[in-house]
Amino acid sequence: MPSRIAITPGEPAGVGPELLVKLAQDNYDVELVAFADPALLMQRAAAIGLPLQCLPCNLSAPAQAHRSGQLKVVDIALHSPAQPGQLNTANASYVLETLRQATDACLNQQCQALVTGPVQKSVINDAGIAFSGHTEFLEERCAADKVVMMLATEQLRVALVTTHLPLSAVPAAITSATLQRVTEILHHSLQSQFGCEQPRILVLGLNPHAGEGGHMGREEIDTIIPCLDILRQRGWLLEGPMPADTAFTPRHLAKCDAVLAMYHDQGLPVLKYQGFGRAVNITLGLPIIRTSVDHGTALDLAGSGSADVGSFNAALNSAIEMTQHSRKHL
Ligand SMILES: NC(=O)c1ccc[n+]([C@@H]2O[C@H](COP(=O)([O-])OP(=O)(O)OC[C@H]3O[C@@H](n4cnc5c(N)ncnc54)[C@H](O)[C@@H]3O)[C@@H](O)[C@H]2O)c1
Ligand SMILES: N[C@H](C(=O)O)[C@H](O)COP(=O)(O)O
């Protein structure tokens, strides 16, 4: 039986809905199920001149392979009609409802993976709802003790110790317990999901020049080095803490399966410079498979049809591969 992949198009005023319409133009061996308002998808399909037929989805029925131009939809109504590029706090709870229903369908095994389009975190917060990202939302919804954000291209994987935090809050968030747990999840995922028998992880320092022997910050000496030493006693191949400015050079990258960065803008700018438009955001440590795009809502492009579907396509293909891999290893 084909797998069923849950897809949330994300912010209704952003490019997510039209990118999903673009994705739906191909055939797949799996069933794609959008958790969305079908009227929104039809409207964006018309706006960008692509054919689309939305069909109701019975999540209890056997999945059927996706056919070009058709899309199964779990109907979740917008609270207010969405205009491309125009954020509206009235639709913030709609966005979260699509995520809740799609996540729950994965948790109860009606769907085998979740692929998420981009959400606008600010409009959800402006609506009075605490939300810092899918990663944190899914950690809570799936009752996972800890999850890890990793973005990956064919050439590079970058995982993060901390995610959507103000920079001023980062040092205090890098505790020995957090660093150890994040490294364990990354190590386990590289082995179990990405075929790295003996994962080689390059861990970055937090401070310039990895603290310069304590003269430019003590987090390396007080937290990172002792934690890595403990983990190395398990025989793990952990390099670092490396100065972040020179870690992303071919000689070092050739010797590692993933880079572990201490914070969002230490690791992701490099990854996105290397592969924006074809990178995939993968949440490690969840009981479900979840992938996402490498870009945001691109409000400036919404409704134009010019947004690139490359990363959404890569996120879908990664989810399909991970689903096949997990079926093989059941
Ligand atoms: N997966 C996600 O949910 C996700 C990821 C990143 C950012 N965001 C959110 O998106 C919102 C906007 O963020 P931002 O402005 O920093 O980043 P953005 O990715 O939306 O836009 C940055 C630039 O990249 C361009 N761009 C983005 N996607 C593109 C595509 N598919 N094709 C061509 N060009 C594209 C945009 O036009 C813009 O010039 C924020 O609320 C942010 O938190 C969400
Ligand atoms: N940090 C991600 C990025 O820059 O691509 C993005 O904000 C999405 O994160 P979530 O998957 O947690 O929403």
Side-chain angles (χ1 to χ4, degrees), residues 3-7 31-33 35 57 59 74 101-114 288-289 323:
S3 295
R4 178 178 279 135
I5 311 290
I7 307 184
E31 182 172 85
L32 309 188
V33 183
F35 286 71
C57 180
L59 291 173
V74 170
Q101 291 197 29
T103 305
D104 291 355
C106 293
L107 284 170
N108 65 29
Q109 288 162 24
Q110 291 170 313
C111 297
Q112 282 66 52
L114 170 63
I288 63 172
I289 293 168
T323 307

Side-chain angles (χ1 to χ4, degrees), residues 121 133-136 149 151 164 264 268 272 281 290 294:
K121 300 170 193 61
H134 290 93
T135 306
E136 299 83 350
M149 183 189 298
L151 270 76
H164 296 120
H264 191 279
L268 297 193
K272 293 192 185 186
N281 176 344
R290 180 266 175 162
D294 66 4

Side-chain angles (χ1 to χ4, degrees), residues 124-326:
I124 300 174
N125 286 291
D126 288 345
I129 305 167
F131 180 86
S132 54
H134 290 93
T135 306
E136 299 83 350
F137 172 92
L138 291 167
E139 181 176 86
E140 190 179 332
R141 189 78 188 168
C142 297
D145 77 305
K146 179 79 191 148
V147 300
V148 176
M149 183 189 298
M150 182 174 86
L151 270 76
T153 64
E154 291 283 322
Q155 294 80 25
L156 181 64
R157 299 186 187 100
V158 176
L160 306 180
V161 178
T162 58
T163 53
H164 296 120
L165 285 183
L167 193 51
S168 58
V170 166
I174 300 172
T175 62
S176 193
T178 298
L179 180 56
Q180 177 163 337
R181 193 71 196 106
V182 166
T183 311
E184 286 170 344
I185 291 169
L186 176 59
H187 192 273
H188 174 75
S189 303
L190 288 170
Q191 281 184 323
S192 61
Q193 293 179 287
F194 299 95
C196 307
E197 243 171 69
Q198 243 206 319
R200 299 161 305 168
I201 300 173
L202 195 164
V203 182
L204 303 184
L206 172 67
N207 297 294
H209 307 297
E212 194 78 26
H215 296 286
M216 292 184 191
R218 290 201 51 85
E219 285 81 1
E220 289 78 7
I221 291 173
D222 293 341
T223 309
I224 303 175
I225 293 171
C227 178
L228 297 185
D229 283 344
I230 290 172
L231 293 172
R232 284 189 187 107
Q233 288 170 15
R234 302 177 185 179
W236 290 7
L237 304 177
L238 307 174
E239 192 72 30
M242 289 274 300
D245 61 347
T246 47
F248 291 99
T249 49
R251 184 163 68 87
H252 294 303
L253 294 179
K255 289 186 289 185
C256 78
D257 298 302
V259 175
L260 181 58
M262 292 293 133
Y263 59 95
H264 191 279
D265 281 9
Q266 183 183 50
L268 297 193
V270 184
L271 186 286
K272 293 192 185 186
Y273 178 68
Q274 192 265 330
F276 190 59
R278 53 196 159 82
V280 181
N281 176 344
I282 304 163
T283 315
L284 311 178
L286 285 173
I288 63 172
I289 293 168
R290 180 266 175 162
T291 66
S292 190
V293 290
D294 66 4
H295 58 81
T297 50
L299 297 175
D300 52 333
L301 303 180
S304 69
S306 64
D308 180 7
V309 75
S311 175
F312 217 144
N313 197 26
L316 174 59
N317 287 329
S318 291
I320 294 171
E321 273 170 32
M322 290 168 77
T323 307
Q324 288 164 346
H325 182 270
S326 95

